Amino acid sequence: MGLTKKLAAALKRDDEREEAGMHADDRVTCYSHQSWAEDCEGRHRKPSAGSLLAEHNELQRRRMQ
């Protein structure tokens, strides 16, 4: 699904509201995927301690090369 005029306007509105202090969880659009929030709910993973540690270790490994 492409970016419609309605979605583009909603993204802009959410961006402006977020800049004005609205919490990101209150968005009706998804900034990351440029889509409606309800369309990408399953695409976001909450980080776990293990995944954050693995990411940190991978970054450290790359820096040491």
Side-chain angles (χ1 to χ4, degrees), residues 5-65:
K5 286 183 182 182
K6 184 176 179 181
L7 176 56
L11 283 161
K12 184 175 189 252
R13 193 170 46 252
D14 275 355
D15 290 346
E16 291 169 352
R17 288 178 178 166
E18 196 172 349
E19 287 176 15
M22 177 183 80
H23 193 278
D25 288 344
D26 294 331
R27 292 180 69 102
V28 296
T29 61
C30 175
Y31 176 81
S32 298
H33 299 112
Q34 297 292 288
S35 63
W36 296 105
E38 63 189 27
D39 292 342
C40 68
E41 284 181 57
R43 294 167 63 182
H44 295 275
R45 288 186 358 207
K46 293 190 180 202
S48 66
S51 68
L52 292 173
L53 181 59
E55 183 178 350
H56 170 76
N57 289 341
E58 177 62 16
L59 290 172
Q60 291 292 40
R61 185 187 69 77
R62 290 180 186 184
R63 286 185 185 125
M64 300 300 282
Q65 290 182 346

